[in-house]
Amino acid sequence: MIPELPEVETIVRDIRPRLLGRMVTGMIIRSKAQAHILKTSPDNFYQGVILQTIQTVIRKGKYIIMPLSNDNVLVIHLGMTGQVLLHEVPDVVDLEDHLDRFDKHTHVVLELMDQSSDPLPDIELHFRDPRMFGNIWLVEDANDINNLDVPGLKGLGPDALGIELDTFKRSMRNRRSVKSSLLDQTKLAGVGNIYADEACFSAKINPLTKGIDLSPGQLMRLWFAVKTVLKEGIKYGGSSTSDYVSADGNKGSYQDHHRVYGRLGQKCVECDDVIERIKVSGRSTHFCPSCQIRGDSS
DNA sequence: ACAGGATCCTGGGGGC
DNA sequence: TGCCCCCAGGATCCTG
């Protein structure tokens, strides 16, 4: 689970072509969504979304952003266990009469109609989230897609896939641990716990190393490693350590390529040592004590 | 300024 | 079998 940049990117690439130009013709907002997930009133959400057309679907960091035809913008963050699932609806159905087609963790359903002259079947977008850390915002009358009034999205750092080396170096230049800085979304958008650990291993840097203690060579290795592990994650459709699935319900396979995350006690893929796990910034952190020696500025 | 902890939340696993 | 407790962590808030 744990949707990070590669998981969100996989979802966005999957749903964008399928949602483009579709109109929201109906919706269900269930009670838990009101209490936890939806960051506006159900009435407001309904009024702001109904009969609007999805202009595009983009990703910023771990956020999914959908501008609508009325200049409102739908923003989704999947939290830890959130899922966006698309289901084709074969025939016209009364949504309220078919509540059994989703479980108790599906909190919001949008019915989406294709508007072309030879229309494709209706699609339902299901927002499902067992742990309910996910959020859905509706930004009204957005005049700048790059400055949406959503907590976390304002002040989001440069996207980890595209960040320049110099910017990355500046972001790491502090007394905090490398792991902590990699997770800081205001410095670097998109990296979470899994890819932070994988990037540190790939760069042969101990996650506890302070940013200011990194050599120029280490900084460049880490910058390169972040991009590399994220691209690998996208290539394999994300990591499915427990219940992350793409919009089709397919599991990613990057977890089979993790080199440290989730491999506590297993043999390092590069030496004879064994992967250890510690807590850094409150997050479980996996590393090889031989490959990632602290203070090694080689 | 930064680390560390609590908070939100529920499914799953271990222990008894 | 079942119950209790703890753990997982993205983002935010609070404290030291």
Side-chain angles (χ1 to χ4, degrees):
Chain A
M1 77 179 106
I2 313 152
E4 305 183 28
L5 189 153
E7 289 73 28
V8 178
E9 179 68 18
T10 299
I11 291 166
V12 166
R13 287 184 187 184
D14 185 14
I15 69 176
R16 183 189 295 129
R18 300 173 66 190
L19 297 187
L20 218 69
R22 279 184 181 263
M23 180 186 279
V24 181
T25 52
M27 72 183 72
I28 299 172
I29 300 168
R30 303 178 77 199
S31 56
K32 279 191 172 177
Q34 293 184 44
H36 297 285
I37 288 156
L38 206 56
K39 309 312 273 188
T40 183
S41 73
D43 275 357
N44 204 50
F45 187 79
Y46 183 88
Q47 294 300 334
V49 172
I50 194 73
L51 298 182
Q52 300 309 312
T53 301
I54 296 172
Q55 308 294 94
T56 186
V57 184
I58 59 171
R59 178 190 62 76
K60 279 184 182 292
K62 304 172 192 172
Y63 293 80
I64 300 170
I65 299 172
M66 298 189 204
L68 305 176
S69 43
N70 59 355
D71 291 338
N72 288 352
V73 180
L74 213 52
V75 179
I76 300 175
H77 193 290
L78 299 173
M80 290 187 54
T81 53
Q83 300 173 337
V84 169
L85 302 164
L86 300 187
H87 294 294
E88 275 198 8
V89 183
D91 287 307
V92 178
V93 294
D94 184 332
L95 290 180
E96 298 295 340
D97 288 344
H98 292 76
L99 286 170
D100 59 338
R101 71 199 179 290
F102 45 76
D103 66 7
K104 61 174 179 174
H105 300 301
T106 301
H107 306 298
V108 176
V109 176
L110 299 182
E111 187 186 36
L112 300 159
M113 197 174 74
D114 185 25
Q115 299 187 87
S116 57
S117 53
D118 185 15
L120 297 165
D122 286 358
I123 281 179
E124 283 182 8
L125 184 156
H126 290 193
F127 180 85
R128 187 177 179 274
D129 188 2
R131 217 165 294 181
M132 293 191 294
F133 281 121
N135 289 121
I136 301 176
W137 295 266
L138 179 68
V139 183
E140 296 178 84
D141 303 320
N143 45 27
D144 183 2
I145 192 80
N146 293 311
N147 191 27
L148 296 171
D149 187 17
V150 169
L153 201 46
K154 284 172 91 80
L156 196 68
D159 200 82
L161 269 187
I163 191 169
E164 305 271 352
L165 176 57
D166 284 350
T167 314
F168 181 81
K169 283 182 169 176
R170 255 180 276 125
S171 296
M172 292 294 141
R173 194 176 299 150
N174 57 50
R175 318 189 90 83
R176 303 166 62 185
S177 68
V178 166
K179 173 75 183 258
S180 171
S181 285
L182 288 175
L183 294 177
D184 184 344
Q185 302 298 303
T186 68
K187 296 229 162 54
L188 184 68
V191 175
N193 205 39
I194 294 174
Y195 294 91
D197 283 4
E198 293 299 323
C200 285
F201 177 81
S202 177
K204 301 286 177 285
I205 291 168
N206 187 290
L208 284 168
T209 311
K210 290 181 170 59
I212 50 165
D213 292 336
L214 292 175
S215 69
Q218 284 182 310
L219 280 164
M220 189 183 290
R221 287 208 318 259
L222 187 57
W223 171 75
F224 186 75
V226 165
K227 298 190 175 206
T228 302
V229 298
L230 292 174
K231 284 179 198 158
E232 279 176 358
I234 293 169
K235 186 171 111 190
Y236 291 107
S239 304
S240 295
T241 54
S242 66
D243 56 8
Y244 160 76
V245 291
S246 71
D248 286 335
N250 295 319
K251 283 181 176 294
S253 63
Y254 189 55
Q255 68 280 2
D256 301 333
H257 303 270
H258 289 173
R259 292 186 285 173
V260 283
Y261 185 87
R263 298 193 66 247
L264 171 66
Q266 296 180 38
K267 190 173 163 298
C268 174
V269 295
E270 302 220 340
C271 75
D272 289 330
D273 213 332
V274 170
I275 303 306
E276 291 185 7
R277 183 175 68 190
I278 56 174
K279 283 271 182 195
V280 182
S281 297
R283 297 290 169 248
S284 70
T285 299
H286 311 69
F287 70 106
C288 170
S290 293
C291 294
Q292 297 167 270
I293 294 169
R294 196 171 173 189
D296 177 4
S297 293
S298 62

